């Protein structure tokens, strides 16, 4: 018989994590353990990465929902992050509790890497300059800048600085506005941003304005990627209708927010049918969740740089099986893996 239990965990950022929505110092998450009494000593570990203020299931009764899913093992209709946690834990259990979630890809051998983008968090102008310089020195060929949290002129100055040194054919630039623009100013701002050869702009306006987003996608000189717009959509029919209306060039898949891994697969199918590209990114998970997302992305043999990392954002993260070499993310099959269910509170 299968049994499940969970425990909360608070991750501490090693810097002030700023987006256009909020400034974060900590990130609450939940670890999940699934065991089978026919396999004593084997524990499948998953992560239920609740994202405060963004996850659709961020409600006062969330822990009661998690209790019910663990008690009944009926998680298929549970909230998005709970589904991701159970999918991960059950796959881990089925593969012997070794941290193998999506077996079969060459990436798991440790012989090949996934290309990822270097993430530049918001900060004051001097701090962002330093962060950009560090990523360039590390050898990243694709940078993603979070914008919308400081003066827009300062942000365009940063882009000008990068482009003076690294033209578009040498360095790919992505921008993530996290909905910071408005329907009224988005196109004028995108026109200004287009002179810096951006690969794409994520979620230029806040989600839930499909007609305005469709107009932006139609007229924007910068390709648009949808992110928060995907949250809460579970019907394949509604997915197709939304993509047909808005016609984005890309979608960004956060499995914790878009329905779990099986649902993210269906998003890929919908995007492919609509002629849109995709890449995966995290919802600030610990290394448990990052490991699962990286394995899932690798199984799809992605063509575009992924929005992943090694969990170096936190001072108290779990030990990682992920290793970064330049801009390539590798899986280390020999790396030790600890059980966060045993961490001291």
């Amino acid at each position: 018989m299968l049994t499940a239990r969970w425990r909360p965990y608070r991750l501490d950022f090693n810097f002030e994590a700023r987006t256009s929505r909020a400034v974060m110092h900590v990130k609450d998450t939940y670890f999940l353990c699934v065991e089978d009494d026919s396999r004593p000593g084997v524990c499948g570990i998953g992560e239920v990465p609740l994202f405060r203020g963004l996850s659709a299931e961020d409600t006062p009764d969330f822990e009661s929902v998690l209790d019910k899913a663990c008690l009944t093992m009926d998680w298929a209709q549970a909230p998005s992050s709970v589904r991701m946690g159970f999918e991960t834990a059950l796959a881990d259990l089925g593969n012997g509790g070794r941290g193998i979630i999506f077996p079969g890809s060459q990436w798991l051998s440790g012989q090949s890497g996934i290309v990822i983008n270097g993430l530049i968090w918001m900060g004051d102008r001097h701090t962002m300059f330093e962060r950009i310089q560090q990523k360039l020195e590390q050898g990243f060929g694709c940078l993603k800048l979070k914008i919308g949290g400081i003066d827009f002129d300062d942000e365009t100055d940063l882009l000008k600085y990068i482009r003076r040194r690294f033209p578009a054919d040498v360095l790919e630039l992505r921008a993530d506005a996290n909905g910071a623009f408005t329907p009224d100013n988005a196109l004028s701002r995108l026109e200004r941003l287009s002179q810096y050869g951006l690969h794409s702009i994520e979620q230029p306006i806040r989600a839930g304005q499909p007609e305005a987003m469709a107009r932006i996608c139609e007229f924007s000189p910068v390709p648009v990627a949808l992110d928060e717009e995907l949250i809460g959509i579970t019907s394949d029919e509604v997915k197709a209708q939304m993509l047909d209306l808005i016609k984005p060039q890309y979608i960004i898949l956060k499995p914790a927010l878009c329905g779990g891994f099986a649902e993210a697969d269906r998003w890929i199918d919908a995007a492919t049918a609509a002629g849109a590209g995709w890449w995966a990114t995290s919802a600030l998970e610990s290394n448990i969740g990052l490991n699962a997302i990286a394995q899932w992305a690798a199984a799809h043999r992605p063509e575009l740089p992924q929005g992943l990392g090694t969990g170096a954002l936190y001072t108290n993260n779990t030990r990682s099986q992920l290793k970064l070499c330049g801009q390539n993310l590798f899986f280390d099959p020999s790396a030790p893996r600890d059980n966060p269910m045993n961490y001291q509170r």
Side-chain angles (χ1 to χ4, degrees), residues 35-213:
E35 297 170 294
D36 185 341
D37 59 11
S38 69
R39 305 179 70 186
V42 179
C43 176
I45 300 294
E47 182 175 359
V48 181
L50 183 68
F51 200 123
R52 302 287 181 194
L54 191 57
S55 296
E57 59 265 33
D58 181 17
T59 59
D61 66 342
F62 176 72
E63 292 188 357
S64 296
V65 172
L66 192 49
D67 279 334
K68 181 179 179 181
C70 288
L71 180 65
T72 64
M73 293 300 294
D74 182 13
W75 52 271
Q77 301 304 315
S80 180
S81 60
V82 177
R83 276 177 273 163
M84 175 179 160
F86 272 93
E87 286 173 322
T88 303
L90 287 166
D92 186 26
L93 178 67
N95 290 295
R98 300 176 294 120
I100 304 299
I101 315 303
F102 292 93
S105 73
Q106 182 182 4
W107 183 75
L108 284 173
S109 70
Q111 301 303 306
S112 62
I114 303 173
V115 177
I116 66 172
N117 61 227
L119 178 59
I120 309 298
W121 285 83
M122 289 178 180
D124 59 44
R125 187 173 177 177
H126 176 72
T127 300
M128 291 187 76
F129 270 132
E130 288 187 339
R131 290 172 179 168
I132 290 167
Q133 186 64 42
Q134 183 182 44
K135 292 297 183 185
L136 295 177
E137 290 173 355
Q138 289 172 354
F140 281 91
C142 176
L143 295 184
K144 170 182 165 179
L145 278 71
K146 286 188 174 290
I147 63 174
I150 62 174
D151 182 77
F152 187 66
D153 289 334
D154 284 346
E155 290 172 337
T156 56
D157 282 348
L158 286 168
L159 292 169
K160 187 185 302 182
Y161 159 77
I162 297 173
R163 280 293 176 241
R164 277 202 303 262
R165 298 188 58 201
F166 299 94
D169 60 349
V170 173
L171 178 68
E172 183 173 281
L173 286 177
R174 297 171 174 174
D176 183 1
N178 283 127
F181 303 160
T182 70
D184 291 334
N185 69 21
L187 285 174
S188 63
R189 290 194 168 192
L190 289 168
E191 185 65 40
R192 286 183 61 185
L193 291 172
S194 68
Q195 63 185 295
Y196 304 111
L198 296 186
H199 170 270
S200 55
I201 177 82
E202 291 184 33
Q203 203 67 45
I205 62 174
R206 61 178 174 80
Q209 306 174 88
E211 290 80 11
M213 187 68 83

Side-chain angles (χ1 to χ4, degrees), residues 25 60 84 131 189-190 218 235 250 254 295 317 328:
H25 298 95
M84 175 179 160
R131 290 172 179 168
R189 290 194 168 192
L190 289 168
E218 181 179 2
S235 161
Y250 302 99
K254 291 182 172 73
Q295 290 188 37
N317 210 334
N328 290 283

